[in-house]
Amino acid sequence: DVKVTQSSRYLVKRTGEKVFLECVQDMDHENMFWYRQDPGLGLRLIYFSYDVKMKEKGDIPEGYSVSREKKERFSLILESASTNQTSMYLCASSLNPQGSEIVDTQYFGPGTRLTVL
Amino acid sequence: DQQVKQNSPSLSVQEGRISILNCDYTNSMFDYFLWYKKYPAEGPTFLISISSIKDKNEDGRFTVFLNKSAKHLSLHIVPSQPGDSAVYFCAGGSQGNLIFGKGTKLSVKP
């Protein structure tokens, strides 16, 4: 079974604080992703990584950065938290099988509910 | 521009009947599609997928149908159970990346 774990289920921070969200997967997956989920907006991609030390911007990268120093770990950093970053943050990983039309299923962690006051 | 659309924000079904969740897409480059189920305060759980070269995939009570000419897919749940009550997301995928719809909240009433 694929296991994706996130460091915290609930987090409360103050405006301006630096926030670290950690994600670890145990299936030797190549790809890792950070999303945020907000009511009525679905899941929106913040950043993703195809390999160690590689990172790519998703649809909403502003205000965030990421770090992938080890294959199994992908961290999301809020440099200076703001109230509009209050959200559910979801980490996912996938294997990255080669070949088109081969389904590359993403497996999600339990999520971190972040509240910024 | 929404590439994946779930036009019904909610759906209510009686226990034992069929639930049909719909999804439309505009991007012809998707190689595969997935359905996820999400309970409140939890991460999405993978349900079922379909490659773009197929038109049907079945797994137990769940069947996904893909109509490429109409750029439409649907998830059928038969029979529906109260534990199926959740938000369902469809997603289109290509080269490892997924684009999600906004979700449909399914309520299965006993």
mmCIF file of all heavy atoms in Angstrom, chain B residues 71-110:
data_model
loop_
_atom_site.group_PDB
_atom_site.id
_atom_site.type_symbol
_atom_site.label_atom_id
_atom_site.label_comp_id
_atom_site.label_asym_id
_atom_site.label_seq_id
_atom_site.Cartn_x
_atom_site.Cartn_y
_atom_site.Cartn_z
ATOM 1 N N LYS B 71 -16.126 14.338 -25.320
ATOM 2 C CA LYS B 71 -15.241 14.833 -24.253
ATOM 3 C C LYS B 71 -15.987 14.771 -22.915
ATOM 4 O O LYS B 71 -16.093 15.760 -22.169
ATOM 5 C CB LYS B 71 -14.762 16.250 -24.541
ATOM 6 C CG LYS B 71 -13.825 16.357 -25.736
ATOM 7 C CD LYS B 71 -13.136 17.724 -25.746
ATOM 8 C CE LYS B 71 -12.083 17.814 -26.814
ATOM 9 N NZ LYS B 71 -12.636 17.935 -28.153
ATOM 10 N N HIS B 72 -16.475 13.587 -22.630
ATOM 11 C CA HIS B 72 -17.309 13.388 -21.454
ATOM 12 C C HIS B 72 -16.963 12.064 -20.790
ATOM 13 O O HIS B 72 -16.744 11.063 -21.484
ATOM 14 C CB HIS B 72 -18.789 13.386 -21.864
ATOM 15 C CG HIS B 72 -19.726 13.125 -20.739
ATOM 16 N ND1 HIS B 72 -20.162 14.105 -19.873
ATOM 17 C CD2 HIS B 72 -20.321 11.976 -20.325
ATOM 18 C CE1 HIS B 72 -20.974 13.575 -18.980
ATOM 19 N NE2 HIS B 72 -21.096 12.289 -19.231
ATOM 20 N N LEU B 73 -16.892 12.085 -19.457
ATOM 21 C CA LEU B 73 -16.777 10.825 -18.737
ATOM 22 C C LEU B 73 -17.756 10.811 -17.579
ATOM 23 O O LEU B 73 -18.206 11.870 -17.123
ATOM 24 C CB LEU B 73 -15.352 10.544 -18.276
ATOM 25 C CG LEU B 73 -14.680 11.418 -17.224
ATOM 26 C CD1 LEU B 73 -13.623 10.605 -16.506
ATOM 27 C CD2 LEU B 73 -13.997 12.586 -17.895
ATOM 28 N N SER B 74 -18.090 9.610 -17.171
ATOM 29 C CA SER B 74 -19.034 9.476 -16.072
ATOM 30 C C SER B 74 -18.603 8.330 -15.171
ATOM 31 O O SER B 74 -17.971 7.367 -15.610
ATOM 32 C CB SER B 74 -20.458 9.253 -16.600
ATOM 33 O OG SER B 74 -20.528 8.079 -17.379
ATOM 34 N N LEU B 75 -18.952 8.461 -13.916
ATOM 35 C CA LEU B 75 -18.711 7.430 -12.910
ATOM 36 C C LEU B 75 -20.062 6.907 -12.448
ATOM 37 O O LEU B 75 -20.910 7.685 -12.019
ATOM 38 C CB LEU B 75 -17.940 8.016 -11.717
ATOM 39 C CG LEU B 75 -17.739 7.073 -10.523
ATOM 40 C CD1 LEU B 75 -16.794 5.938 -10.918
ATOM 41 C CD2 LEU B 75 -17.197 7.837 -9.321
ATOM 42 N N HIS B 76 -20.236 5.587 -12.572
ATOM 43 C CA HIS B 76 -21.459 4.949 -12.116
ATOM 44 C C HIS B 76 -21.154 4.148 -10.861
ATOM 45 O O HIS B 76 -20.183 3.362 -10.837
ATOM 46 C CB HIS B 76 -22.011 4.010 -13.199
ATOM 47 C CG HIS B 76 -22.499 4.744 -14.415
ATOM 48 N ND1 HIS B 76 -23.546 4.268 -15.192
ATOM 49 C CD2 HIS B 76 -22.108 5.893 -15.003
ATOM 50 C CE1 HIS B 76 -23.766 5.099 -16.177
ATOM 51 N NE2 HIS B 76 -22.909 6.087 -16.097
ATOM 52 N N ILE B 77 -21.987 4.311 -9.859
ATOM 53 C CA ILE B 77 -21.848 3.547 -8.624
ATOM 54 C C ILE B 77 -23.144 2.757 -8.434
ATOM 55 O O ILE B 77 -24.226 3.336 -8.311
ATOM 56 C CB ILE B 77 -21.633 4.477 -7.406
ATOM 57 C CG1 ILE B 77 -20.450 5.424 -7.654
ATOM 58 C CG2 ILE B 77 -21.383 3.646 -6.146
ATOM 59 C CD1 ILE B 77 -20.260 6.488 -6.571
ATOM 60 N N VAL B 78 -22.997 1.436 -8.472
ATOM 61 C CA VAL B 78 -24.171 0.569 -8.341
ATOM 62 C C VAL B 78 -23.863 -0.636 -7.447
ATOM 63 O O VAL B 78 -22.910 -1.363 -7.762
ATOM 64 C CB VAL B 78 -24.638 0.038 -9.718
ATOM 65 C CG1 VAL B 78 -25.922 -0.783 -9.571
ATOM 66 C CG2 VAL B 78 -24.840 1.161 -10.704
ATOM 67 N N PRO B 79 -24.635 -0.919 -6.410
ATOM 68 C CA PRO B 79 -25.650 -0.034 -5.851
ATOM 69 C C PRO B 79 -25.004 1.015 -4.937
ATOM 70 O O PRO B 79 -23.959 0.770 -4.346
ATOM 71 C CB PRO B 79 -26.505 -1.004 -5.033
ATOM 72 C CG PRO B 79 -25.529 -2.057 -4.590
ATOM 73 C CD PRO B 79 -24.520 -2.191 -5.693
ATOM 74 N N SER B 80 -25.643 2.147 -4.806
ATOM 75 C CA SER B 80 -25.103 3.192 -3.936
ATOM 76 C C SER B 80 -25.333 2.826 -2.476
ATOM 77 O O SER B 80 -26.360 2.227 -2.109
ATOM 78 C CB SER B 80 -25.801 4.528 -4.237
ATOM 79 O OG SER B 80 -25.607 4.883 -5.586
ATOM 80 N N GLN B 81 -24.371 3.188 -1.649
ATOM 81 C CA GLN B 81 -24.439 2.905 -0.217
ATOM 82 C C GLN B 81 -24.228 4.202 0.564
ATOM 83 O O GLN B 81 -23.546 5.109 0.072
ATOM 84 C CB GLN B 81 -23.351 1.890 0.174
ATOM 85 C CG GLN B 81 -23.478 0.554 -0.523
ATOM 86 C CD GLN B 81 -22.286 -0.356 -0.275
ATOM 87 O OE1 GLN B 81 -21.303 0.051 0.347
ATOM 88 N NE2 GLN B 81 -22.365 -1.582 -0.758
ATOM 89 N N PRO B 82 -24.750 4.296 1.775
ATOM 90 C CA PRO B 82 -24.574 5.534 2.563
ATOM 91 C C PRO B 82 -23.102 5.918 2.740
ATOM 92 O O PRO B 82 -22.762 7.103 2.764
ATOM 93 C CB PRO B 82 -25.229 5.186 3.903
ATOM 94 C CG PRO B 82 -26.290 4.198 3.550
ATOM 95 C CD PRO B 82 -25.696 3.364 2.436
ATOM 96 N N GLY B 83 -22.214 4.924 2.826
ATOM 97 C CA GLY B 83 -20.791 5.202 2.960
ATOM 98 C C GLY B 83 -20.171 5.821 1.723
ATOM 99 O O GLY B 83 -19.032 6.298 1.764
ATOM 100 N N ASP B 84 -20.922 5.846 0.620
ATOM 101 C CA ASP B 84 -20.432 6.493 -0.603
ATOM 102 C C ASP B 84 -20.607 8.004 -0.537
ATOM 103 O O ASP B 84 -20.116 8.728 -1.415
ATOM 104 C CB ASP B 84 -21.179 5.969 -1.836
ATOM 105 C CG ASP B 84 -20.916 4.491 -2.089
ATOM 106 O OD1 ASP B 84 -19.823 4.012 -1.744
ATOM 107 O OD2 ASP B 84 -21.829 3.820 -2.614
ATOM 108 N N SER B 85 -21.298 8.492 0.454
ATOM 109 C CA SER B 85 -21.522 9.930 0.597
ATOM 110 C C SER B 85 -20.187 10.628 0.818
ATOM 111 O O SER B 85 -19.492 10.375 1.804
ATOM 112 C CB SER B 85 -22.463 10.221 1.770
ATOM 113 O OG SER B 85 -23.737 9.649 1.540
ATOM 114 N N ALA B 86 -19.826 11.491 -0.121
ATOM 115 C CA ALA B 86 -18.515 12.154 -0.114
ATOM 116 C C ALA B 86 -18.498 13.137 -1.277
ATOM 117 O O ALA B 86 -19.446 13.225 -2.053
ATOM 118 C CB ALA B 86 -17.391 11.127 -0.276
ATOM 119 N N VAL B 87 -17.384 13.839 -1.415
ATOM 120 C CA VAL B 87 -17.173 14.674 -2.607
ATOM 121 C C VAL B 87 -16.340 13.869 -3.597
ATOM 122 O O VAL B 87 -15.330 13.265 -3.216
ATOM 123 C CB VAL B 87 -16.455 15.987 -2.251
ATOM 124 C CG1 VAL B 87 -16.176 16.797 -3.515
ATOM 125 C CG2 VAL B 87 -17.306 16.807 -1.289
ATOM 126 N N TYR B 88 -16.763 13.852 -4.846
ATOM 127 C CA TYR B 88 -16.073 13.108 -5.889
ATOM 128 C C TYR B 88 -15.431 14.086 -6.869
ATOM 129 O O TYR B 88 -16.087 14.992 -7.387
ATOM 130 C CB TYR B 88 -17.045 12.189 -6.624
ATOM 131 C CG TYR B 88 -17.472 11.023 -5.768
ATOM 132 C CD1 TYR B 88 -18.437 11.188 -4.784
ATOM 133 C CD2 TYR B 88 -16.890 9.775 -5.923
ATOM 134 C CE1 TYR B 88 -18.809 10.135 -3.966
ATOM 135 C CE2 TYR B 88 -17.266 8.715 -5.108
ATOM 136 C CZ TYR B 88 -18.218 8.908 -4.130
ATOM 137 O OH TYR B 88 -18.584 7.859 -3.316
ATOM 138 N N PHE B 89 -14.146 13.867 -7.110
ATOM 139 C CA PHE B 89 -13.409 14.699 -8.064
ATOM 140 C C PHE B 89 -13.024 13.860 -9.270
ATOM 141 O O PHE B 89 -12.533 12.742 -9.118
ATOM 142 C CB PHE B 89 -12.115 15.237 -7.431
ATOM 143 C CG PHE B 89 -12.335 16.248 -6.341
ATOM 144 C CD1 PHE B 89 -12.314 15.867 -5.002
ATOM 145 C CD2 PHE B 89 -12.543 17.586 -6.644
ATOM 146 C CE1 PHE B 89 -12.513 16.793 -3.997
ATOM 147 C CE2 PHE B 89 -12.738 18.525 -5.645
ATOM 148 C CZ PHE B 89 -12.719 18.130 -4.318
ATOM 149 N N CYS B 90 -13.223 14.398 -10.449
ATOM 150 C CA CYS B 90 -12.618 13.782 -11.619
ATOM 151 C C CYS B 90 -11.394 14.606 -11.991
ATOM 152 O O CYS B 90 -11.288 15.795 -11.663
ATOM 153 C CB CYS B 90 -13.593 13.663 -12.783
ATOM 154 S SG CYS B 90 -13.991 15.198 -13.610
ATOM 155 N N ALA B 91 -10.446 13.957 -12.640
ATOM 156 C CA ALA B 91 -9.204 14.616 -13.032
ATOM 157 C C ALA B 91 -8.738 14.069 -14.368
ATOM 158 O O ALA B 91 -8.851 12.868 -14.627
ATOM 159 C CB ALA B 91 -8.127 14.401 -11.974
ATOM 160 N N GLY B 92 -8.216 14.968 -15.210
ATOM 161 C CA GLY B 92 -7.599 14.572 -16.464
ATOM 162 C C GLY B 92 -6.094 14.633 -16.301
ATOM 163 O O GLY B 92 -5.579 15.547 -15.664
ATOM 164 N N GLY B 93 -5.403 13.644 -16.876
ATOM 165 C CA GLY B 93 -3.968 13.570 -16.684
ATOM 166 C C GLY B 93 -3.182 13.449 -17.965
ATOM 167 O O GLY B 93 -3.640 12.859 -18.950
ATOM 168 N N SER B 94 -1.979 14.005 -17.926
ATOM 169 C CA SER B 94 -1.046 13.895 -19.043
ATOM 170 C C SER B 94 0.358 14.152 -18.512
ATOM 171 O O SER B 94 0.562 15.125 -17.786
ATOM 172 C CB SER B 94 -1.396 14.919 -20.123
ATOM 173 O OG SER B 94 -0.453 14.879 -21.165
ATOM 174 N N GLN B 95 1.300 13.262 -18.857
ATOM 175 C CA GLN B 95 2.701 13.408 -18.451
ATOM 176 C C GLN B 95 2.848 13.632 -16.948
ATOM 177 O O GLN B 95 3.666 14.443 -16.515
ATOM 178 C CB GLN B 95 3.349 14.560 -19.232
ATOM 179 C CG GLN B 95 3.390 14.294 -20.717
ATOM 180 C CD GLN B 95 4.043 15.426 -21.493
ATOM 181 O OE1 GLN B 95 4.049 16.567 -21.061
ATOM 182 N NE2 GLN B 95 4.588 15.093 -22.642
ATOM 183 N N GLY B 96 2.070 12.918 -16.197
ATOM 184 C CA GLY B 96 2.213 12.952 -14.746
ATOM 185 C C GLY B 96 1.422 14.016 -14.033
ATOM 186 O O GLY B 96 1.276 13.964 -12.808
ATOM 187 N N ASN B 97 0.926 15.004 -14.753
ATOM 188 C CA ASN B 97 0.182 16.080 -14.100
ATOM 189 C C ASN B 97 -1.325 15.858 -14.215
ATOM 190 O O ASN B 97 -1.801 15.327 -15.215
ATOM 191 C CB ASN B 97 0.540 17.427 -14.727
ATOM 192 C CG ASN B 97 1.834 17.969 -14.170
ATOM 193 O OD1 ASN B 97 2.619 17.229 -13.610
ATOM 194 N ND2 ASN B 97 2.041 19.262 -14.321
ATOM 195 N N LEU B 98 -2.038 16.263 -13.194
ATOM 196 C CA LEU B 98 -3.489 16.141 -13.176
ATOM 197 C C LEU B 98 -4.135 17.513 -13.096
ATOM 198 O O LEU B 98 -3.628 18.414 -12.427
ATOM 199 C CB LEU B 98 -3.962 15.326 -11.963
ATOM 200 C CG LEU B 98 -3.601 13.853 -11.916
ATOM 201 C CD1 LEU B 98 -4.122 13.226 -10.621
ATOM 202 C CD2 LEU B 98 -4.145 13.116 -13.122
ATOM 203 N N ILE B 99 -5.269 17.638 -13.787
ATOM 204 C CA ILE B 99 -6.109 18.818 -13.643
ATOM 205 C C ILE B 99 -7.455 18.345 -13.129
ATOM 206 O O ILE B 99 -8.082 17.465 -13.732
ATOM 207 C CB ILE B 99 -6.244 19.572 -14.967
ATOM 208 C CG1 ILE B 99 -4.873 20.100 -15.395
ATOM 209 C CG2 ILE B 99 -7.233 20.733 -14.825
ATOM 210 C CD1 ILE B 99 -4.853 20.816 -16.705
ATOM 211 N N PHE B 100 -7.860 18.928 -12.003
ATOM 212 C CA PHE B 100 -9.052 18.462 -11.305
ATOM 213 C C PHE B 100 -10.266 19.322 -11.623
ATOM 214 O O PHE B 100 -10.155 20.525 -11.834
ATOM 215 C CB PHE B 100 -8.821 18.509 -9.791
ATOM 216 C CG PHE B 100 -7.912 17.432 -9.281
ATOM 217 C CD1 PHE B 100 -6.536 17.578 -9.329
ATOM 218 C CD2 PHE B 100 -8.436 16.265 -8.753
ATOM 219 C CE1 PHE B 100 -5.694 16.579 -8.857
ATOM 220 C CE2 PHE B 100 -7.610 15.265 -8.279
ATOM 221 C CZ PHE B 100 -6.232 15.418 -8.333
ATOM 222 N N GLY B 101 -11.431 18.676 -11.596
ATOM 223 C CA GLY B 101 -12.681 19.407 -11.561
ATOM 224 C C GLY B 101 -12.925 19.923 -10.161
ATOM 225 O O GLY B 101 -12.157 19.642 -9.235
ATOM 226 N N LYS B 102 -14.024 20.668 -9.985
ATOM 227 C CA LYS B 102 -14.287 21.272 -8.694
ATOM 228 C C LYS B 102 -15.037 20.358 -7.735
ATOM 229 O O LYS B 102 -15.239 20.716 -6.573
ATOM 230 C CB LYS B 102 -15.040 22.585 -8.881
ATOM 231 C CG LYS B 102 -14.198 23.636 -9.585
ATOM 232 C CD LYS B 102 -14.898 24.985 -9.675
ATOM 233 C CE LYS B 102 -13.971 25.998 -10.336
ATOM 234 N NZ LYS B 102 -14.592 27.329 -10.439
ATOM 235 N N GLY B 103 -15.444 19.203 -8.219
ATOM 236 C CA GLY B 103 -16.045 18.222 -7.329
ATOM 237 C C GLY B 103 -17.556 18.212 -7.357
ATOM 238 O O GLY B 103 -18.209 19.224 -7.663
ATOM 239 N N THR B 104 -18.125 17.048 -7.066
ATOM 240 C CA THR B 104 -19.577 16.867 -6.897
ATOM 241 C C THR B 104 -19.800 16.189 -5.558
ATOM 242 O O THR B 104 -19.203 15.146 -5.283
ATOM 243 C CB THR B 104 -20.171 15.992 -8.007
ATOM 244 O OG1 THR B 104 -20.018 16.647 -9.260
ATOM 245 C CG2 THR B 104 -21.647 15.711 -7.752
ATOM 246 N N LYS B 105 -20.649 16.783 -4.742
ATOM 247 C CA LYS B 105 -20.948 16.200 -3.432
ATOM 248 C C LYS B 105 -22.099 15.216 -3.580
ATOM 249 O O LYS B 105 -23.215 15.599 -3.932
ATOM 250 C CB LYS B 105 -21.310 17.291 -2.430
ATOM 251 C CG LYS B 105 -21.550 16.761 -1.021
ATOM 252 C CD LYS B 105 -21.796 17.893 -0.042
ATOM 253 C CE LYS B 105 -21.970 17.369 1.367
ATOM 254 N NZ LYS B 105 -22.208 18.461 2.327
ATOM 255 N N LEU B 106 -21.812 13.956 -3.314
ATOM 256 C CA LEU B 106 -22.830 12.904 -3.401
ATOM 257 C C LEU B 106 -23.378 12.599 -2.015
ATOM 258 O O LEU B 106 -22.618 12.377 -1.066
ATOM 259 C CB LEU B 106 -22.220 11.630 -4.000
ATOM 260 C CG LEU B 106 -23.113 10.389 -4.012
ATOM 261 C CD1 LEU B 106 -24.317 10.602 -4.929
ATOM 262 C CD2 LEU B 106 -22.328 9.151 -4.435
ATOM 263 N N SER B 107 -24.687 12.597 -1.908
ATOM 264 C CA SER B 107 -25.359 12.201 -0.661
ATOM 265 C C SER B 107 -26.216 10.986 -0.963
ATOM 266 O O SER B 107 -27.097 11.045 -1.829
ATOM 267 C CB SER B 107 -26.243 13.339 -0.127
ATOM 268 O OG SER B 107 -25.484 14.482 0.148
ATOM 269 N N VAL B 108 -25.957 9.895 -0.257
ATOM 270 C CA VAL B 108 -26.741 8.679 -0.425
ATOM 271 C C VAL B 108 -27.614 8.519 0.810
ATOM 272 O O VAL B 108 -27.115 8.331 1.924
ATOM 273 C CB VAL B 108 -25.836 7.446 -0.607
ATOM 274 C CG1 VAL B 108 -26.701 6.194 -0.794
ATOM 275 C CG2 VAL B 108 -24.917 7.642 -1.801
ATOM 276 N N LYS B 109 -28.913 8.577 0.590
ATOM 277 C CA LYS B 109 -29.850 8.556 1.717
ATOM 278 C C LYS B 109 -30.339 7.139 1.986
ATOM 279 O O LYS B 109 -30.691 6.421 1.053
ATOM 280 C CB LYS B 109 -31.033 9.478 1.409
ATOM 281 C CG LYS B 109 -30.618 10.913 1.177
ATOM 282 C CD LYS B 109 -31.807 11.837 1.041
ATOM 283 C CE LYS B 109 -31.384 13.250 0.704
ATOM 284 N NZ LYS B 109 -30.396 13.794 1.645
ATOM 285 N N PRO B 110 -30.344 6.745 3.267
ATOM 286 C CA PRO B 110 -30.805 5.391 3.621
ATOM 287 C C PRO B 110 -32.285 5.206 3.320
ATOM 288 O O PRO B 110 -33.056 6.154 3.295
ATOM 289 C CB PRO B 110 -30.551 5.299 5.131
ATOM 290 C CG PRO B 110 -29.695 6.454 5.486
ATOM 291 C CD PRO B 110 -29.904 7.500 4.429
#
